[in-house]
Amino acid sequence: MHPLVGPNVYYYPSAGPAVPPPPIGAPYAFQMQQGPQLWSTGLCACTDDCSSCCMTSFCPCVTFGQIAEIVDQGATSCGSSAALYALSHITCCQWIYSCFYRSKMRTQYCLVERPYNDCLVHLFCEKCGLCQEYRELKNRGFDMRIGWHANMARQAQGVTMPPVMQGTMMR
């Protein structure tokens, strides 16, 4: 643990020194910084989080729904976003829908438009783009499984999220 980290201060290795948590209502695991920020992982780093990679490979609508709920700050539910994504997938237009959310996410978190334009990422690398967005939100402290409202409730209670353990033991 970083020596400056206390009960109300969080340390984010990618963000630099320890910083106090942002006010209630803002995503709790980061603060907006000046200037464009780099993505925390690369577009083709899908194997950095194998579980989300597998989910996105077989059911991208679920991953998209989780991303959309966080990006929309709870205004839309994971289920409704996933259903709309699945319907747009039938007409092969899902990349337009997901491109909109990538752009919205980049604007919210001041991320650079790399390695390609948002539309190109989702047109040619749809699943890799979704995985990158999922990892970005996860690396910023969101528990993607519980949605926006539960993440905000945890923040309001002052609960510090434990790190996610990969490969837990099972009997």
Side-chain angles (χ1 to χ4, degrees):
M1 181 177 280
H2 193 272
L4 299 176
V5 175
N8 294 322
V9 179
Y10 301 91
Y11 177 69
Y12 313 104
S14 62
V19 293
I24 300 297
Y28 66 96
F30 62 92
Q31 288 189 1
M32 292 296 289
Q33 297 184 8
Q34 298 294 328
Q37 303 295 309
L38 295 176
W39 291 83
S40 61
T41 62
L43 179 63
C44 297
C46 296
T47 56
D48 287 358
D49 185 356
C50 291
S51 63
S52 70
C53 181
C54 288
M55 174 60 79
T56 305
S57 295
F58 296 110
C59 197
C61 57
V62 172
T63 302
F64 175 79
Q66 292 172 329
I67 293 167
E69 182 176 353
I70 299 295
V71 171
D72 279 344
Q73 300 178 347
T76 58
S77 71
C78 174
S80 63
S81 296
L84 285 172
Y85 181 88
L87 287 173
S88 66
H89 190 66
I90 294 170
T91 61
C92 297
C93 294
Q94 79 283 358
W95 66 272
I96 296 170
Y97 189 38
S98 57
C99 172
F100 168 76
Y101 275 92
R102 183 179 181 89
S103 296
K104 187 173 181 177
M105 181 178 155
R106 274 192 329 91
T107 301
Q108 283 179 353
Y109 304 124
C110 200
L111 295 167
V112 295
E113 192 171 17
R114 282 192 189 161
Y116 308 105
N117 172 292
D118 295 337
C119 290
L120 290 176
V121 168
H122 280 276
L123 177 60
F124 296 111
C125 305
E126 174 76 11
K127 292 178 182 177
C128 290
L130 289 174
C131 285
Q132 183 185 33
E133 294 156 24
Y134 183 95
R135 287 189 312 273
E136 185 68 33
L137 292 171
K138 189 174 174 183
N139 290 343
R140 288 176 179 266
F142 289 102
D143 183 345
M144 301 298 287
R145 297 168 294 160
I146 64 173
W148 173 262
H149 296 293
N151 274 294
M152 291 301 104
R154 283 189 176 184
Q155 176 194 359
Q157 293 173 355
V159 174
T160 303
M161 302 286 289
V164 176
M165 301 300 292
Q166 299 292 333
T168 58
M169 291 178 37
M170 301 177 107
R171 285 190 164 198

